[in-house]
Amino acid sequence: MKIVLDDFEKSIEDNAENFVPITGEKKSKIEAIIKSANKTKNINIRISAYDIEKVKQKSAEEGIPYQTLISSVIHKYITGKLVDETAVLKSMELLRR
């Protein structure tokens, strides 16, 4: 099986000789940031039976667990990366006129 690298991965390989290891305080700060970013918390949330069934259907289509899908949607929303496809299509239609 041949592994295909994306552009970002290729740039890492192309610049591997420029790698400079870090130690000490800088390394500790980076590790603390990574540890903090990887922490998860359990929550309880009430969702209508209809909505949860639809989420489970979508997650099955995507091939991921439904809780992972919900977490992904929340993350995209708070980082401003959640896109309303209908609004985008309407905007594109208006621009074509």
Side-chain angles (χ1 to χ4, degrees), residues 51-61 64 66 69:
D51 288 345
I52 196 69
E53 283 307 312
K54 287 297 186 182
V55 168
K56 286 181 178 182
Q57 287 174 5
K58 290 285 186 184
S59 70
E61 291 170 13
I64 59 174
Y66 76 95
L69 178 61

Side-chain angles (χ1 to χ4, degrees), residues 12-84:
I12 292 172
E13 278 203 343
D14 293 343
N15 294 294
E17 67 277 357
N18 299 327
F19 172 74
V20 178
I22 58 169
T23 58
E25 187 178 332
K26 190 171 186 178
K27 182 178 179 183
S28 296
K29 285 181 180 180
I30 292 170
E31 288 173 344
I33 291 168
I34 292 170
K35 185 178 178 183
S36 175
N38 289 331
K39 283 186 180 178
T40 61
K41 293 199 177 229
N42 293 335
I43 64 167
N44 294 323
I45 184 170
R46 296 185 190 283
I47 300 176
S48 72
Y50 174 82
D51 288 345
I52 196 69
E53 283 307 312
K54 287 297 186 182
V55 168
K56 286 181 178 182
Q57 287 174 5
K58 290 285 186 184
S59 70
E61 291 170 13
E62 297 291 325
I64 59 174
Y66 76 95
Q67 292 172 331
T68 302
L69 178 61
I70 292 169
S71 178
S72 175
V73 169
I74 292 170
H75 179 74
K76 288 177 182 178
Y77 177 76
I78 63 170
T79 58
K81 295 178 182 173
L82 187 64
V83 177
D84 181 353

